[in-house]
Amino acid sequence: AQSVSQHNHHVILSEAASLELGCNYSYGGTVNLFWYVQYPGQHLQLLLKYFSGDPLVKGIKGFEAEFIKSKFSFNLRKPSVQWSDTAEYFCAVNKGSFKTIFGAGTRLFVKA
Amino acid sequence: DAMVIQNPRYQVTQFGKPVTLSCSQTLNHNVMYWYQQKSSQAPKLLFHYYDKDFNNEADTPDNFQSRRPNTSLCFLDIRSPGLGDAAMYLCATSRDPSGGTDTQYFGPGTRLTVL
């Protein structure tokens, strides 16, 4: 079945550590890719998205993601995390329709 | 601030007792979505409205219905909730997702408990 896979369900890091959250999808052809974030007590909101152009996409709060078509991946990175990055992160894929498929999410906890 | 509002935030119902969740938006977006999210799982699209056009996902149970009386308001009706319907229900909007690149704007969700 076509899907979006997030490799880590839980990640614990210390402040200033580097972050990489994996996301792989199983859809062929053209895809639109998203990372959404949900901070504690808040609603899901867009972190960044990619649909064309430079495969290295920069988002809010110092996050970036790289689209590697040959690996069907769209990993999220941040060079130095802060305590305020504690949140749940969702990767999502859209193939040019109304339907967006979400991954199961990765819960990040950053120790102060 | 323009936003997506869901009421109630928490809903408790009894097995088999109909329940309605509501979502309103001030973004004036054309599309409204309902997702079901169970614990530690991905949000799963149930259906969406594009203006007045209702689009049901193929695997959405008949037990789930939706109404959109106007652009800013949308309801999720669960006719006979079962224990397996306990979940977080998320409402989202987007302006025009026909190309698949649109950002979705989410409400805070309604957590449904079925006793």
Side-chain angles (χ1 to χ4, degrees):
Chain A
Q2 295 180 321
S3 66
V4 179
S5 299
Q6 293 185 238
H7 311 302
N8 306 100
H9 295 294
H10 295 91
V11 174
I12 301 173
L13 294 173
S14 297
E15 276 195 313
S18 64
L19 169 72
E20 181 160 3
L21 301 182
C23 174
N24 286 92
Y25 59 92
S26 60
Y27 304 92
T30 301
V31 290
N32 304 306
L33 300 158
F34 304 81
W35 277 97
Y36 285 85
V37 60
Q38 186 168 24
Y39 297 103
Q42 297 188 27
H43 55 271
L44 269 166
Q45 57 189 284
L46 183 73
L47 198 56
L48 50 78
K49 64 181 178 181
Y50 169 82
F51 50 91
S52 66
D54 187 344
L56 185 61
V57 181
K58 295 193 184 300
I60 60 171
K61 303 188 178 185
F63 285 89
E64 63 179 31
E66 185 175 13
F67 169 53
I68 303 179
K69 189 173 182 179
S70 61
K71 295 185 178 181
F72 297 87
S73 71
F74 189 56
N75 292 355
L76 181 70
R77 300 195 291 248
K78 186 170 183 179
S80 176
V81 294
Q82 301 173 316
W83 177 80
S84 58
D85 293 325
T86 294
E88 189 160 16
Y89 294 82
F90 292 88
C91 181
V93 177
N94 184 301
K95 278 191 60 65
S97 72
F98 288 86
K99 186 168 185 175
T100 298
I101 307 297
F102 285 81
T106 297
R107 292 194 176 186
L108 171 66
F109 179 73
V110 180
K111 297 183 291 185
Chain B
D1 283 342
M3 58 197 326
V4 181
I5 301 164
Q6 291 188 245
N7 285 303
R9 295 291 305 276
Y10 300 91
Q11 176 74 57
V12 180
T13 190
Q14 291 181 331
F15 183 95
K17 185 174 181 181
V19 66
T20 294
L21 311 181
S22 76
C23 176
S24 62
Q25 53 128 341
T26 59
L27 297 160
N28 203 31
H29 282 171
N30 295 318
V31 189
M32 295 185 78
Y33 307 82
W34 280 104
Y35 289 87
Q36 179 192 63
Q37 185 182 19
K38 296 187 177 179
S39 182
S40 300
Q41 296 184 22
K44 178 178 177 292
L45 183 64
L46 295 174
F47 27 59
H48 74 271
Y49 270 98
Y50 189 177
D51 292 332
K52 295 181 180 180
D53 186 21
F54 177 69
N55 297 272
N56 201 32
E57 291 300 306
D59 57 355
T60 298
D62 292 341
N63 200 24
F64 292 85
Q65 303 286 323
S66 186
R67 297 170 282 138
R68 190 179 186 183
N70 56 56
T71 300
S72 55
L73 187 58
C74 194
F75 298 104
L76 169 62
D77 300 308
I78 308 176
R79 293 191 297 188
S80 181
L83 298 179
D85 297 329
M88 177 72 83
Y89 289 88
L90 299 171
C91 175
T93 73
S94 66
R95 188 168 42 218
D96 183 359
S98 51
T101 62
D102 234 22
T103 298
Q104 292 188 36
Y105 294 83
F106 285 84
T110 294
R111 184 167 295 283
L112 177 69
T113 300
V114 182
L115 301 177

